[in-house]
Amino acid sequence: MPILTVALLQLERAGHDLDANRAAGEAACRRAKALGADIALFPEMWSNGYTSAVPFGDASANVYRHPDLWAGAAPVGVPDHRAVWRGEPVAADSPFVAHFASLAAELDMAIALTYLEEWEGAPRNSVSLIDRHGRLVLTHAKVHTCAFAVPEAALTPGTSFGTCTLDTAAGDVRVGAMICYDREFPESARALMLAGAELVLTPNACDLERNRIDQFKARAYENMLAVAMANYAGPGWGHSVAFDGMAFGPEGARDMLVVEAGEAAGVFPAVFDLAALRDYRRRETWGDAFRRPRAYGALTEPAVGEPFVRVSHRGRPPLR
């Protein structure tokens, strides 16, 4: 029976010391391997611990607002990324990534490594999936950056959702990725399902309250996907979670929950039965079989109507 284990690395929020993060990340990966993991999944932007010089979440710092909400409000601009993000961006071919590639080969375990990626212009928020042979087989840059507010307005967004075939001890698995805010758009998981994904890895860095967790569960349900999310530990954070995508069994409706962590730091294995998932996908009605794409034209229209219009203080809309 092909059983696949994804270790959710729910780690303490790190600082932006690259060497310290490399060491702590290696220790977490070794713990994951000891627990039988096939894949170790980091929380979002591990290379610098998602640390910023600009507080996140203050609505007064929103870069884009409804036009009516700029009345009497102070202009908000986007600083240069070097004034926003702590820690230097690292390239996909950097010693930092190469270290984890060597570790993946040593441990015979895939690693989904996250980092502030060096890029032409502003950096990207990226995850690279390294297979158990130490080969980089997929890099996903966050498409839905939180461009409404600094600090993520100072990032280059990704442009697509791709998948790869990952060689594991359980056999080949088709894997995709989305990062944090990506999962709040149904199109992200839907695009990955259409690209053949069976498993979606999701690095995260925010509070995971019930609504977001239920939303993530819905992504698994509607696409018949296994999904795994790793978040940072800490009060109000944590709750790294995985769902197996199988909403119904012989006895009727089932929960789909594989594992949900609390708020404490730890490594949490999520065990997926790939044979059962594949059988479920062959016989059930969600996913792709009964979609009606000709009815969905509005999904690819770039125009934005009320009440969703957002502009900068200069009246410029966000890029789409």
Side-chain angles (χ1 to χ4, degrees), residues 38 92 97-111 128-138 166-167:
D38 298 290
V97 176
H99 178 85
F100 285 94
S102 296
L103 181 64
E106 176 195 335
L107 297 178
D108 191 35
M109 178 187 71
I111 298 174
S128 285
L129 181 58
I130 303 163
D131 73 9
R132 64 189 178 126
H133 310 291
R135 301 174 302 206
L136 198 158
V137 293
L138 177 71
L166 183 67
D167 170 32

Side-chain angles (χ1 to χ4, degrees), residues 92-200:
D93 61 356
S94 65
F96 181 79
V97 176
H99 178 85
F100 285 94
S102 296
L103 181 64
E106 176 195 335
L107 297 178
D108 191 35
M109 178 187 71
I111 298 174
L113 177 68
T114 61
Y115 52 104
L116 181 66
E117 183 186 9
E118 184 180 285
W119 200 251
E120 184 177 354
R124 306 197 305 180
N125 179 345
S126 297
V127 55
S128 285
L129 181 58
I130 303 163
D131 73 9
R132 64 189 178 126
H133 310 291
R135 301 174 302 206
L136 198 158
V137 293
L138 177 71
T139 293
H140 169 71
K142 188 174 186 178
V143 171
H144 299 97
T145 53
C146 298
F148 50 82
V150 180
E152 286 208 359
L155 292 173
T156 297
T159 57
S160 63
F161 292 94
T163 61
C164 71
T165 299
L166 183 67
D167 170 32
T168 76
D172 287 348
V173 185
R174 198 72 183 167
V175 180
M178 53 187 181
I179 298 175
C180 202
Y181 193 39
D182 281 339
R183 62 175 162 66
E184 300 200 18
F185 293 83
E187 296 88 350
S188 305
R190 180 55 41 114
L192 288 166
M193 180 274 291
L194 292 173
E198 300 174 284
L199 168 68
V200 175

